[in-house]
Amino acid sequence: MRIALIDSDIVAYRAAILTEDQDETDAIALADRIHDTWQDSAHADLFVPVLTVGKSFRTGHWPEYKANRKDKPKPRHLGAVYAHIRANPRCMWHDHWEADDVLGFLGTTAVEGFDTVVVSIDKDLDQIPGSHCNPDKETCYTVDADDADMYKWMQVLSGDSTDNYPGIPRVGQEKARKLLIDVSSGDREAVVKAVYKDKGFDDFYYSSMFHCAVIIKNTEEVECGLLSPDLSVESTLVPFLLSLKQCGT
């Protein structure tokens, strides 16, 4: 069974923005159509909508994380669209995680009989190894483990102005790539830490940027203690996937 893991934060915002001058029911109907279209683009048998619910754990590491968005007005139907998506029995979220993290965890949790594909227009999700689909570009592609790791450490170096964490100032994506291009995956962490130290940043600042940049996956981030025990969702998500398989939905 092929499952489209859909970044439904983007679906909700897009549906609400495009129906700003229409009725709430139009916004909800458009969200449904986008989900169906994105599932088709991913050639999936069904989709799992994934949402951000609650305050991200990242603000505990960097209080300014996404603070640049606080005063921006939200589309008037956004709350209704979120409520509609969340009512879907297949919808996935977890308190303190962002949709990206749940997508990352699900996308790297192997369950026999399932083939998952991450569906989003957000390139940040290329940190997740495996199958991907960008429905706007009508492309499906695979991110291998080394490329995913490379992109992760590039993010730690360059930061993200959209999410309001700076990384190392004046180190953009291209410079980050040049710094890491000839470095093996096992040595990238040490190189990144050394660059931070060389630029005069302490371990606390590095750790803050690391937590802001890295998408949670069911791999080393869980094992090395990036997550506190109360944030683990394995006991929730794996039985959920198995329940889909058992009931044949």
Side-chain angles (χ1 to χ4, degrees):
M1 182 184 292
R2 185 169 171 86
I3 299 177
L5 305 173
I6 293 183
D7 185 350
S8 293
D9 283 349
I10 294 175
V11 173
Y13 268 89
R14 180 170 292 187
I17 289 170
L18 292 175
T19 58
E20 182 72 18
D21 298 325
Q22 301 175 44
D23 294 334
E24 179 182 296
T25 54
D26 296 317
I28 290 171
L30 179 56
D32 287 342
R33 291 197 299 273
I34 294 172
H35 275 125
D36 289 341
T37 299
W38 284 21
Q39 175 185 322
D40 291 343
S41 295
H43 309 291
D45 300 301
L46 58 83
F47 73 88
V48 171
V50 178
L51 291 173
T52 298
V53 174
K55 188 176 182 179
S56 172
F57 73 89
R58 292 178 174 86
T59 59
H61 297 276
W62 187 251
E64 295 303 305
Y65 180 76
K66 291 188 176 179
N68 53 333
R69 306 183 188 186
K70 286 181 179 178
D71 297 327
K72 291 183 178 180
K74 291 181 172 57
R76 66 192 184 102
H77 298 316
L78 185 62
V81 175
Y82 259 85
H84 173 72
I85 296 172
R86 195 168 172 178
N88 185 318
R90 293 198 301 269
C91 185
M92 274 282 134
W93 71 87
H94 195 278
D95 291 343
H96 310 301
W97 286 23
E98 296 175 63
D100 290 2
D101 300 307
V102 181
L103 288 165
F105 194 95
L106 279 170
T108 54
T109 299
V111 178
E112 185 179 356
F114 284 93
D115 172 23
T116 57
V117 52
V118 174
V119 186
S120 178
I121 61 172
D122 185 353
K123 189 169 174 57
D124 286 352
L125 293 172
D126 283 355
Q127 287 188 39
I128 304 169
S131 298
H132 289 254
C133 175
N134 183 323
D136 282 3
K137 295 182 178 179
E138 298 182 342
T139 58
C140 291
Y141 59 99
T142 300
V143 177
D144 67 30
D146 187 70
D147 286 342
D149 182 75
M150 176 72 165
Y151 192 74
K152 175 181 76 175
W153 291 112
M154 286 170 56
Q155 287 291 98
V156 176
L157 281 171
S158 64
D160 189 331
S161 59
T162 302
D163 289 342
N164 208 42
Y165 66 95
I168 300 177
R170 295 182 295 281
V171 175
Q173 289 277 296
E174 286 309 309
K175 188 170 183 179
R177 183 178 294 279
K178 289 178 182 178
L179 287 167
L180 296 170
I181 192 66
D182 295 321
V183 180
S184 65
S185 59
D187 293 330
R188 286 175 188 147
E189 180 178 8
V191 169
V192 170
K193 285 183 175 180
V195 174
Y196 267 87
K197 184 176 181 179
D198 182 63
K199 296 296 183 180
F201 297 107
D202 61 19
D203 290 342
F204 179 81
Y205 180 80
Y206 163 77
S207 177
S208 297
M209 296 302 99
F210 176 87
H211 282 83
C212 286
V214 176
I215 292 174
I216 292 170
K217 297 171 284 292
N218 191 10
T219 52
E220 73 281 359
E221 282 76 36
V222 174
E223 294 165 6
C224 74
L226 175 62
L227 309 178
S228 58
D230 61 316
L231 292 182
S232 176
V233 296
E234 184 168 11
S235 61
T236 302
L237 300 185
V238 175
F240 167 77
L241 289 176
L242 291 173
S243 71
L244 288 180
K245 184 177 180 181
Q246 290 164 1
C247 67
T249 55

